[in-house]
Amino acid sequence: MIRPITHIGNPVLRQVCDAVDPGDVASPVIQGLINDLVDTKRHANGAGIAAPQIGVALRVFIVEVHNNPRYPYKPEVPLDVVINPEITFLTDDRYENFEGCLSIPGLRARVPRCPHIRVTGLSRDGAPFSKEERGITAGTYQHEFDHVNGVLFPDRVQDTSSYCTWEEFHARYEEGFRDEVASIVGRWGA
Ligand code: NI
């Protein structure tokens, strides 16, 4: 079911979300939440979405990038469900991602992100996993992980002069950022 997306100002986006009891992952409540995240993300053309963005303060997010019109330069990512996520940085390097958020309509800005991370958590069937993510995709995971900790991308913006509307991004910055993405992917992988 497509659910309404919460917007910045809604306190649910500022909560440190509760962990899911591993014994509840198979329950209709959690499986239904995951289905709603998938439906809502696809409908809104997000690259990812976290449970508080549909008003549920639980530590669950999904990532999926496939022919994304909002982020046409992002490498493809098959649907991934992450429950009770943890992220470890595997390098001190940082790059600048140009981020937007379904919960902050109209706004984008540069956000420093780690280009090589380890993501651990439970998958949709409750199995523990641990994997590495790189480059632009690593940035997407960090953005969604921030959501379950009540953190929004403007909290991490250092170059505040990079704030722009989507229209100005497309008109002025997207072409240059595509070159940056190619270089980030070339150095770190997707
Ligand atoms: Ni977001």
Side-chain angles (χ1 to χ4, degrees), residues 48-49 53 100-103 143-144 147 152-153:
I49 195 169
Q53 294 185 273
C101 180
L102 295 174
S103 293
H143 178 113
E144 301 310 330
H147 272 301
L152 298 172
F153 84 78

Side-chain angles (χ1 to χ4, degrees), residues 99-172:
E99 299 193 8
C101 180
L102 295 174
S103 293
I104 308 174
L107 201 60
R108 299 190 65 147
R110 289 181 171 275
V111 183
R113 294 296 186 186
C114 179
H116 187 195
I117 61 172
R118 176 167 299 284
V119 183
T120 63
L122 303 177
S123 63
R124 178 168 199 164
D125 59 6
F129 70 85
S130 173
K131 62 177 182 171
E132 294 180 25
E133 293 293 348
R134 292 168 178 273
I136 300 295
T137 303
T140 304
Y141 277 82
Q142 286 162 76
H143 178 113
E144 301 310 330
F145 180 65
D146 277 349
H147 272 301
V148 301
N149 288 320
V151 174
L152 298 172
F153 84 78
D155 305 339
R156 299 207 181 273
V157 172
Q158 290 180 351
D159 177 6
T160 54
S161 72
S162 71
Y163 277 111
C164 60
T165 63
W166 283 73
E167 291 75 18
E168 293 291 347
F169 176 77
H170 290 311
R172 299 175 194 278

Side-chain angles (χ1 to χ4, degrees), residues 11-183:
V12 74
L13 290 169
R14 292 309 196 170
Q15 282 184 247
V16 176
C17 296
D18 293 327
V20 175
D21 184 327
D24 290 343
V25 170
S27 70
V29 170
I30 299 300
Q31 293 296 314
L33 168 64
I34 293 166
N35 289 339
D36 289 354
L37 286 169
V38 172
D39 292 346
T40 307
K41 185 212 78 82
R42 288 178 178 168
H43 180 255
N45 290 317
I49 195 169
Q53 294 185 273
I54 58 169
V56 178
L58 288 173
R59 302 181 75 77
V60 180
F61 69 74
I62 66 170
V63 172
E64 181 186 47
V65 180
H66 178 65
N67 290 335
N68 189 297
R70 276 161 54 92
Y71 303 98
Y73 48 80
K74 276 196 195 243
E76 302 256 309
V77 183
L79 177 62
D80 190 25
V81 176
V82 187
I83 299 164
N84 297 344
E86 294 297 340
I87 285 183
T88 310
F89 291 176
L90 299 178
T91 174
D92 291 332
D93 272 284
R94 298 291 182 270
Y95 71 97
E96 289 207 313
N97 207 3
F98 222 126
E99 299 193 8
C101 180
L102 295 174
S103 293
I104 308 174
L107 201 60
R108 299 190 65 147
R110 289 181 171 275
V111 183
R113 294 296 186 186
C114 179
H116 187 195
I117 61 172
R118 176 167 299 284
V119 183
T120 63
L122 303 177
S123 63
R124 178 168 199 164
D125 59 6
F129 70 85
S130 173
K131 62 177 182 171
E132 294 180 25
E133 293 293 348
R134 292 168 178 273
I136 300 295
T137 303
T140 304
Y141 277 82
Q142 286 162 76
H143 178 113
E144 301 310 330
F145 180 65
D146 277 349
H147 272 301
V148 301
N149 288 320
V151 174
L152 298 172
F153 84 78
D155 305 339
R156 299 207 181 273
V157 172
Q158 290 180 351
D159 177 6
T160 54
S161 72
S162 71
Y163 277 111
C164 60
T165 63
W166 283 73
E167 291 75 18
E168 293 291 347
F169 176 77
H170 290 311
R172 299 175 194 278
Y173 307 120
E174 181 167 357
E175 196 177 333
F177 187 60
R178 280 175 183 271
D179 294 340
E180 292 178 42
V181 168
S183 129

